[in-house]
Amino acid sequence: QVQLVESGGGSVQAGGSLRLSCSVSRHVLSHDCMAWFRQAPGKEREGIASFESHNGATRYADSVKGRFTISKDSVKNILYLQMNSLRPEDSAGYYCAAHGRIGCYIERESDYTSWGRGTEVAVSM
C-alpha cells in the first residue's frame, strides 16, 4: 500500500512562502498522477495542483495559478508544492493524493486512491 506523508505546513504572514513536501513510502510506477488538495473549515475539499510523472505535465486551479508550483523529485520520490504570495484564504489543511488511472485531473477527486493525512497551513494578515 502506498503511503503518503505530508510535511512543511505552518504559520506564515500574508505575502510569505511555504514549501510543502509529500513523501511516498514506496515507489509505485502505476501511481503516475499525484496532486495536492486542500480543505478549509466549513468548505469542500479543493484540488489545486496535479503532476503527471510520465511527462511532467502540471495543472493548477485558478485560485493558485501563478502563485503555487507543483514539482516532483523522482529520485527521492517526493512531491513538492511551492506556495508563494500566500493569502489568508489559502489557510487550510493540505493533502497529497495519488492514483494510477489514465488522466490526471484535479477536478476528479474520486480518481485518487491514496491520500496522506494532511498538513496545516495558516496565513495571517
Side-chain angles (χ1 to χ4, degrees):
Q1 175 130 9
V2 175
Q3 291 183 339
L4 307 175
V5 180
E6 304 92 338
S7 61
S11 298
V12 64
Q13 288 190 327
S17 299
L18 283 174
R19 188 177 78 162
L20 305 183
S21 299
C22 173
S23 296
V24 183
S25 65
R26 178 171 63 90
H27 178 64
V28 179
L29 292 174
S30 62
H31 282 63
D32 182 69
C33 175
M34 297 193 71
W36 288 97
F37 288 76
R38 68 182 182 186
Q39 187 169 23
K43 294 187 176 181
E44 292 188 354
R45 189 156 55 188
E46 172 191 21
I48 57 172
S50 67
F51 184 94
E52 290 186 79
S53 296
H54 77 278
N55 62 6
T58 59
R59 291 183 175 88
Y60 295 94
D62 289 342
S63 58
V64 305
K65 198 173 294 182
R67 300 187 298 124
F68 291 11
T69 302
I70 189 171
S71 62
K72 183 180 177 185
D73 184 326
S74 295
V75 175
K76 297 180 180 178
N77 223 23
I78 298 176
L79 184 74
Y80 297 105
L81 185 68
Q82 178 66 45
M83 306 188 294
N84 298 329
S85 302
L86 283 162
R87 305 165 180 168
E89 53 264 40
D90 294 319
S91 299
Y94 282 71
Y95 300 86
C96 177
H99 73 75
R101 299 180 64 171
I102 295 173
C104 190
Y105 304 102
I106 53 176
E107 299 85 2
R108 287 162 49 171
E109 184 179 327
S110 60
D111 285 351
Y112 294 83
T113 54
S114 298
W115 291 85
R117 293 189 175 184
T119 185
E120 292 293 322
V121 171
V123 184
S124 59
M125 290 293 292

